[in-house]
């Protein structure tokens, strides 16, 4: 797995901002170490959609990098996996998380009210 320098810089930046702000109420935090992930999925949050209808990855510890390229708040939730939620407040925000998933097809959504019906829903195919 490789993380580009720009991504690494962004993550460091966002971490610093979050530390200063201190009001991250999502509980997802920003101190996730993606180096322990078996695979990584990068997902962009647009206003109001995901760029892809289907994301594919391999079973195991899956790292998610969620970047807000829109201008309003978005979240990333995996239906049926209540312990996992990423939250990106505004443009440029990046949130990361790791979750163990077995093979199957999962549903990714943004659970900000109105966003799922507007198109923020995609399949995650884990093989
Ligand atoms: Cu959204």
């Amino acid at each position: 797995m490789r993380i580009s320098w720009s991504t690494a810089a962004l993550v460091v930046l966002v971490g610093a901002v979050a530390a200063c702000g201190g009001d991250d109420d999502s509980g997802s935090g920003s101190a996730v170490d993606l180096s322990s992930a078996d695979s990584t999925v990068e997902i962009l949050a647009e206003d109001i959609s995901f760029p892809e209808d289907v994301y594919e990855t391999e079973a195991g510890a899956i790292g998610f990098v969620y970047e807000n390229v829109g201008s309003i708040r978005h979240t990333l939730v995996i239906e049926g996996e209540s312990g996992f939620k990423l939250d990106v407040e505004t443009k440029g925000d990046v949130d990361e998380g790791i979750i163990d998933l077995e093979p199957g097809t999962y549903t990714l959504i943004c659970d900000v009210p109105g966003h799922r019906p507007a198109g923020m829903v995609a399949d995650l195919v884990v093989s």
Side-chain angles (χ1 to χ4, degrees):
M1 185 194 76
R2 294 192 318 167
I3 294 181
S4 70
W5 279 111
S6 59
T7 302
L10 251 181
V11 169
V12 168
L13 249 177
V14 169
V17 169
C20 290
D23 67 338
D24 180 0
D25 58 2
S26 69
S28 53
S30 54
V32 174
D33 182 6
L34 288 187
S35 66
S36 64
D38 298 316
S39 62
T40 305
V41 180
E42 296 185 19
I43 301 177
L44 300 180
E46 300 175 335
D47 299 337
I48 299 176
S49 65
F50 296 124
E52 311 288 339
D53 291 329
V54 180
Y55 293 86
E56 296 181 41
T57 191
E58 291 165 16
I62 302 168
F64 286 87
V65 179
Y66 192 46
E67 179 178 356
N68 194 340
V69 295
S71 54
I72 60 176
R73 176 176 174 245
H74 296 291
T75 65
L76 184 68
V77 170
I78 302 170
E79 263 194 334
E81 304 291 333
S82 59
F84 182 88
K85 181 171 182 173
L86 300 183
D87 198 323
V88 285
E89 197 70 31
T90 189
K91 191 181 192 105
D93 276 3
V94 177
D95 199 3
E96 299 178 334
I98 295 181
I99 183 171
D100 279 295
L101 292 177
E102 296 180 349
T105 299
Y106 300 81
T107 302
L108 301 171
I109 64 167
C110 169
D111 75 351
V112 174
H115 287 203
R116 178 184 183 155
M120 293 195 79
V121 55
D123 283 340
L124 174 69
V125 177
V126 178
S127 56

